[in-house]
Amino acid sequence: MTYIFDRETALIALEDGQYTIEASDVYRNPTGMAFGGWVAAVAAQAVEMHPERRGPLVSQQIMFMTGVGPGEVRLSVTLLRAGASTQFWRVELSQNGALTNVADIVTSTRRPTDIDYQIAIPDTKSPEESIALPSVNPMAPAWVSRYDQRIAKGMPFAVNKSPEAMVWIKEADGRPVDRVSLFSILDTPMPRTFFVTEQFRPGSSVAMATYIYASEEDLALAGNDFMLLRVTGATVRNSATDGRAEIWSKSGILLATSSQIGFFR
Protein backbone atom coordinates (compact mmCIF):
# COMPACT_ATOMS: atom_id res chain seq x y z
CA MET A 1 0.00 0.00 0.00
CA THR A 2 1.25 3.49 -0.89
CA TYR A 3 0.32 5.94 1.86
CA ILE A 4 -0.67 9.48 0.90
CA PHE A 5 2.15 11.04 2.92
CA ASP A 6 4.77 8.86 1.17
CA ARG A 7 3.33 9.66 -2.25
CA GLU A 8 3.28 13.41 -1.57
CA THR A 9 6.86 13.53 -0.18
CA ALA A 10 8.47 11.31 -2.85
CA LEU A 11 11.55 13.18 -4.06
CA ILE A 12 13.26 12.60 -7.39
CA ALA A 13 17.06 12.42 -7.13
CA LEU A 14 19.01 14.47 -9.66
CA GLU A 15 22.77 15.04 -9.63
CA ASP A 16 24.78 14.68 -6.42
CA GLY A 17 22.88 16.15 -3.47
CA GLN A 18 20.12 17.63 -5.64
CA TYR A 19 16.45 16.64 -5.55
CA THR A 20 13.18 17.84 -7.00
CA ILE A 21 9.48 17.51 -6.22
CA GLU A 22 6.23 19.14 -7.27
CA ALA A 23 4.66 21.10 -4.41
CA SER A 24 1.84 19.00 -3.00
CA ASP A 25 -1.77 19.87 -3.77
CA VAL A 26 -2.83 17.71 -0.81
CA TYR A 27 -0.70 19.45 1.84
CA ARG A 28 -1.62 23.02 0.91
CA ASN A 29 -3.02 25.86 2.99
CA PRO A 30 -6.02 28.00 1.93
CA THR A 31 -3.54 30.74 0.96
CA GLY A 32 -2.30 28.48 -1.85
CA MET A 33 1.04 27.96 -0.13
CA ALA A 34 2.34 24.61 1.10
CA PHE A 35 1.72 23.43 4.66
CA GLY A 36 4.87 24.08 6.68
CA GLY A 37 4.91 20.51 7.97
CA TRP A 38 5.13 19.24 4.40
CA VAL A 39 8.05 21.59 3.72
CA ALA A 40 9.86 20.39 6.86
CA ALA A 41 9.19 16.77 5.89
CA VAL A 42 10.59 17.03 2.35
CA ALA A 43 13.70 18.78 3.70
CA ALA A 44 14.17 15.86 6.10
CA GLN A 45 13.45 13.39 3.31
CA ALA A 46 16.25 14.86 1.21
CA VAL A 47 18.77 14.06 3.95
CA GLU A 48 17.13 10.67 4.56
CA MET A 49 17.73 9.79 0.90
CA HIS A 50 21.31 11.09 0.71
CA PRO A 51 23.77 8.25 0.02
CA GLU A 52 26.30 9.59 2.57
CA ARG A 53 23.84 9.63 5.48
CA ARG A 54 24.92 7.15 8.16
CA GLY A 55 22.64 7.72 11.16
CA PRO A 56 18.96 8.48 11.73
CA LEU A 57 17.44 11.97 11.71
CA VAL A 58 17.49 13.54 15.19
CA SER A 59 16.91 17.28 14.72
CA GLN A 60 15.91 20.02 12.31
CA GLN A 61 15.91 23.80 12.49
CA ILE A 62 14.07 25.32 9.55
CA MET A 63 13.36 28.88 8.45
CA PHE A 64 10.20 29.69 6.49
CA MET A 65 11.43 32.70 4.52
CA THR A 66 8.54 32.78 2.07
CA GLY A 67 5.65 30.56 1.06
CA VAL A 68 6.16 27.54 -1.19
CA GLY A 69 3.66 27.87 -4.00
CA PRO A 70 2.48 25.43 -6.66
CA GLY A 71 5.10 24.08 -9.03
CA GLU A 72 8.56 22.57 -8.85
CA VAL A 73 10.61 22.72 -5.65
CA ARG A 74 14.37 22.16 -5.86
CA LEU A 75 16.29 20.85 -2.85
CA SER A 76 20.06 21.09 -2.45
CA VAL A 77 21.71 19.03 0.32
CA THR A 78 25.16 19.81 1.73
CA LEU A 79 27.04 17.76 4.32
CA LEU A 80 28.64 20.47 6.46
CA ARG A 81 30.64 18.25 8.83
CA ALA A 82 30.80 14.60 9.86
CA GLY A 83 32.11 12.93 13.00
CA ALA A 84 32.28 9.31 14.04
CA SER A 85 28.57 9.10 14.86
CA THR A 86 27.07 12.54 14.04
CA GLN A 87 26.60 14.41 10.76
CA PHE A 88 25.55 18.02 10.21
CA TRP A 89 23.59 18.90 7.08
CA ARG A 90 22.07 21.93 5.37
CA VAL A 91 19.13 21.72 2.98
CA GLU A 92 18.18 24.68 0.80
CA LEU A 93 14.78 24.74 -0.88
CA SER A 94 14.08 27.02 -3.83
CA GLN A 95 11.47 27.80 -6.46
CA ASN A 96 12.22 29.50 -9.77
CA GLY A 97 15.79 30.13 -8.60
CA ALA A 98 14.73 31.94 -5.40
CA LEU A 99 15.42 30.57 -1.92
CA THR A 100 12.30 29.72 0.09
CA ASN A 101 13.58 27.70 3.06
CA VAL A 102 16.81 26.67 4.77
CA ALA A 103 16.92 23.67 7.12
CA ASP A 104 19.84 22.64 9.31
CA ILE A 105 19.56 18.94 10.11
CA VAL A 106 21.51 16.59 12.39
CA THR A 107 21.73 12.83 11.94
CA SER A 108 23.32 10.70 14.63
CA THR A 109 23.56 7.14 15.91
CA ARG A 110 22.76 7.13 19.63
CA ARG A 111 23.13 4.27 22.11
CA PRO A 112 21.06 3.33 25.19
CA THR A 113 22.51 4.46 28.53
CA ASP A 114 22.01 3.60 32.20
CA ILE A 115 20.12 6.92 32.59
CA ASP A 116 16.50 6.74 31.51
CA TYR A 117 14.40 9.83 32.36
CA GLN A 118 11.62 11.61 30.52
CA ILE A 119 8.68 13.82 31.44
CA ALA A 120 5.56 11.74 31.94
CA ILE A 121 2.70 11.70 29.48
CA PRO A 122 -0.08 13.97 30.78
CA ASP A 123 -3.18 12.50 32.33
CA THR A 124 -5.99 13.45 29.98
CA LYS A 125 -9.06 12.15 28.16
CA SER A 126 -8.72 9.06 25.98
CA PRO A 127 -9.02 9.41 22.18
CA GLU A 128 -12.50 7.91 22.39
CA GLU A 129 -13.58 10.56 24.92
CA SER A 130 -12.06 13.43 22.94
CA ILE A 131 -13.63 15.62 20.23
CA ALA A 132 -12.90 14.85 16.57
CA LEU A 133 -11.33 17.92 14.97
CA PRO A 134 -13.50 18.19 11.81
CA SER A 135 -16.56 18.63 13.99
CA VAL A 136 -14.89 21.68 15.56
CA ASN A 137 -13.59 23.43 12.46
CA PRO A 138 -15.15 22.33 9.15
CA MET A 139 -13.34 25.24 7.42
CA ALA A 140 -9.91 23.75 8.21
CA PRO A 141 -7.33 23.31 5.39
CA ALA A 142 -7.76 20.16 3.32
CA TRP A 143 -4.53 18.62 4.66
CA VAL A 144 -6.09 18.46 8.15
CA SER A 145 -8.18 15.51 6.94
CA ARG A 146 -4.96 13.56 6.39
CA TYR A 147 -4.76 13.24 10.16
CA ASP A 148 -7.22 11.74 12.64
CA GLN A 149 -7.16 14.35 15.42
CA ARG A 150 -9.10 14.25 18.69
CA ILE A 151 -9.09 17.31 20.96
CA ALA A 152 -8.61 16.32 24.61
CA LYS A 153 -8.01 19.83 25.98
CA GLY A 154 -8.28 23.38 24.64
CA MET A 155 -10.98 24.63 22.30
CA PRO A 156 -9.92 26.72 19.27
CA PHE A 157 -11.60 30.06 18.53
CA ALA A 158 -12.44 30.48 22.20
CA VAL A 159 -10.93 32.38 25.13
CA ASN A 160 -9.23 29.60 27.10
CA LYS A 161 -7.47 30.12 30.44
CA SER A 162 -4.18 29.43 28.63
CA PRO A 163 -3.14 28.55 25.08
CA GLU A 164 -2.34 24.98 26.14
CA ALA A 165 -3.99 22.23 24.10
CA MET A 166 -3.78 18.45 23.92
CA VAL A 167 -4.65 16.47 20.82
CA TRP A 168 -4.53 12.77 20.05
CA ILE A 169 -3.23 12.38 16.50
CA LYS A 170 -2.38 9.72 13.94
CA GLU A 171 -2.26 9.39 10.17
CA ALA A 172 -5.83 8.96 8.89
CA ASP A 173 -4.88 6.24 6.37
CA GLY A 174 -3.06 4.09 8.92
CA ARG A 175 0.51 5.00 7.98
CA PRO A 176 2.91 4.16 10.83
CA VAL A 177 4.86 7.07 12.29
CA ASP A 178 8.52 7.52 11.40
CA ARG A 179 11.10 10.28 11.70
CA VAL A 180 10.18 12.11 8.50
CA SER A 181 6.47 12.15 9.36
CA LEU A 182 7.19 13.49 12.86
CA PHE A 183 8.59 16.68 11.33
CA SER A 184 5.21 17.18 9.64
CA ILE A 185 3.03 16.12 12.57
CA LEU A 186 4.75 18.57 14.91
CA ASP A 187 3.63 21.45 12.69
CA THR A 188 -0.04 20.41 12.73
CA PRO A 189 -1.06 22.33 15.90
CA MET A 190 -3.12 25.44 15.27
CA PRO A 191 -1.52 28.81 16.13
CA ARG A 192 -1.77 29.73 19.81
CA THR A 193 -3.72 32.85 18.77
CA PHE A 194 -6.68 30.54 18.10
CA PHE A 195 -6.84 29.66 21.81
CA VAL A 196 -6.87 33.14 23.37
CA THR A 197 -9.45 34.92 21.20
CA GLU A 198 -12.68 34.14 19.40
CA GLN A 199 -11.47 36.14 16.39
CA PHE A 200 -9.68 34.59 13.44
CA ARG A 201 -6.19 36.11 13.45
CA PRO A 202 -4.19 34.92 10.42
CA GLY A 203 -0.47 34.36 10.75
CA SER A 204 2.41 32.19 9.67
CA SER A 205 5.37 30.31 11.13
CA VAL A 206 8.78 31.93 10.69
CA ALA A 207 11.13 29.37 12.25
CA MET A 208 10.70 25.91 13.74
CA ALA A 209 13.01 23.52 15.61
CA THR A 210 12.22 19.83 16.10
CA TYR A 211 14.14 17.26 18.16
CA ILE A 212 13.55 13.51 17.99
CA TYR A 213 14.48 11.34 20.99
CA ALA A 214 12.75 8.11 19.98
CA SER A 215 14.72 5.00 19.12
CA GLU A 216 13.74 2.85 16.15
CA GLU A 217 12.14 0.45 18.63
CA ASP A 218 10.10 3.31 20.16
CA LEU A 219 8.81 4.31 16.72
CA ALA A 220 7.97 0.74 15.80
CA LEU A 221 5.98 0.34 19.02
CA ALA A 222 4.14 3.63 18.37
CA GLY A 223 3.14 2.24 14.97
CA ASN A 224 -0.07 3.65 13.53
CA ASP A 225 -1.83 4.19 16.86
CA PHE A 226 -2.78 7.55 18.37
CA MET A 227 -0.04 9.76 19.82
CA LEU A 228 -0.64 12.54 22.34
CA LEU A 229 0.46 15.99 21.20
CA ARG A 230 0.62 18.66 23.90
CA VAL A 231 1.17 22.26 22.80
CA THR A 232 1.75 25.26 25.03
CA GLY A 233 2.61 28.90 24.43
CA ALA A 234 4.53 31.41 26.51
CA THR A 235 3.40 34.53 24.68
CA VAL A 236 0.81 35.89 22.27
CA ARG A 237 1.60 39.59 21.97
CA ASN A 238 3.33 42.22 19.84
CA SER A 239 2.09 40.35 16.74
CA ALA A 240 4.24 37.32 17.64
CA THR A 241 3.46 33.97 19.20
CA ASP A 242 5.39 30.86 20.10
CA GLY A 243 4.42 27.22 20.21
CA ARG A 244 6.08 24.47 22.24
CA ALA A 245 5.08 20.90 21.46
CA GLU A 246 5.73 17.47 22.95
CA ILE A 247 4.53 14.20 21.46
CA TRP A 248 4.21 10.85 23.23
CA SER A 249 3.32 7.42 21.95
CA LYS A 250 0.12 5.99 23.40
CA SER A 251 2.26 3.81 25.67
CA GLY A 252 3.84 6.94 27.18
CA ILE A 253 7.23 7.24 25.42
CA LEU A 254 8.28 10.81 24.62
CA LEU A 255 9.03 10.66 20.91
CA ALA A 256 9.95 14.27 20.09
CA THR A 257 9.62 17.93 21.03
CA SER A 258 9.34 21.08 18.95
CA SER A 259 9.24 24.85 19.25
CA GLN A 260 8.46 27.61 16.79
CA ILE A 261 7.84 31.32 16.43
CA GLY A 262 5.15 32.82 14.24
CA PHE A 263 3.89 36.29 13.36
CA PHE A 264 0.20 37.25 13.23
CA ARG A 265 -1.92 40.23 12.30
Side-chain angles (χ1 to χ4, degrees):
M1 176 180 179
T2 300
Y3 295 108
I4 294 173
F5 181 81
D6 294 329
R7 184 192 72 201
E8 297 298 315
T9 57
L11 302 179
I12 298 172
L14 303 173
E15 61 271 18
D16 185 39
Q18 307 295 308
Y19 302 87
T20 184
I21 190 172
E22 287 292 312
S24 173
D25 289 331
V26 175
Y27 293 94
R28 184 173 292 173
N29 285 318
T31 59
M33 299 302 175
F35 163 49
W38 177 86
V39 177
V42 296
Q45 183 77 315
V47 172
E48 181 81 5
M49 290 176 59
H50 199 283
E52 294 182 38
R53 180 187 62 83
R54 296 197 299 266
L57 300 157
V58 296
S59 78
Q60 180 191 83
Q61 294 173 301
I62 186 168
M63 293 187 294
F64 301 100
M65 294 181 284
T66 189
V68 174
E72 184 189 23
V73 182
R74 286 290 188 112
L75 299 94
S76 177
V77 182
T78 304
L79 177 58
L80 301 176
R81 188 178 178 90
S85 60
T86 303
Q87 294 172 298
F88 301 87
W89 305 83
R90 177 159 295 159
V91 182
E92 295 183 346
L93 288 77
S94 61
Q95 283 193 302
N96 302 314
L99 202 61
T100 60
N101 307 84
V102 174
D104 287 336
I105 293 174
V106 176
T107 58
S108 186
T109 302
R110 312 312 308 152
R111 298 186 301 274
T113 64
D114 59 341
I115 300 174
D116 188 2
Y117 168 80
Q118 65 169 31
I119 55 175
I121 185 171
D123 184 16
T124 190
K125 297 176 183 177
S126 69
E128 294 73 24
E129 298 170 317
S130 301
I131 303 170
L133 186 56
S135 68
V136 174
N137 184 15
M139 301 302 292
W143 61 260
V144 171
S145 65
R146 303 273 55 87
Y147 299 98
D148 185 346
Q149 299 189 65
R150 313 286 180 89
I151 297 175
K153 179 182 179 181
M155 191 59 62
F157 304 109
V159 181
N160 297 271
K161 290 183 179 180
S162 80
E164 182 183 37
M166 295 188 205
V167 177
W168 291 99
I169 187 169
K170 65 178 181 178
E171 299 274 357
D173 62 0
R175 183 189 187 277
V177 67
D178 62 12
R179 294 173 187 274
V180 173
S181 68
L182 276 174
F183 289 112
S184 180
I185 289 170
L186 281 159
D187 194 40
T188 59
M190 288 176 267
R192 296 304 90 196
T193 50
F194 288 11
F195 295 85
V196 295
T197 178
E198 296 176 352
Q199 300 175 345
F200 174 69
R201 304 297 291 272
S204 58
S205 298
V206 178
M208 177 178 172
T210 301
Y211 307 99
I212 299 174
Y213 314 108
S215 66
E216 296 307 306
E217 293 76 16
D218 294 333
L219 292 170
L221 286 171
N224 60 5
D225 204 348
F226 279 107
M227 299 168 286
L228 182 63
L229 184 57
R230 176 172 68 182
V231 190
T232 60
T235 184
V236 183
R237 62 189 297 267
N238 294 336
S239 68
T241 179
D242 71 333
R244 306 174 187 186
E246 302 147 332
I247 190 166
W248 289 264
S249 65
K250 200 173 183 182
S251 62
I253 300 297
L254 182 67
L255 302 176
T257 61
S258 183
S259 62
Q260 62 175 273
I261 184 171
F263 300 156
F264 68 91
R265 296 195 295 274

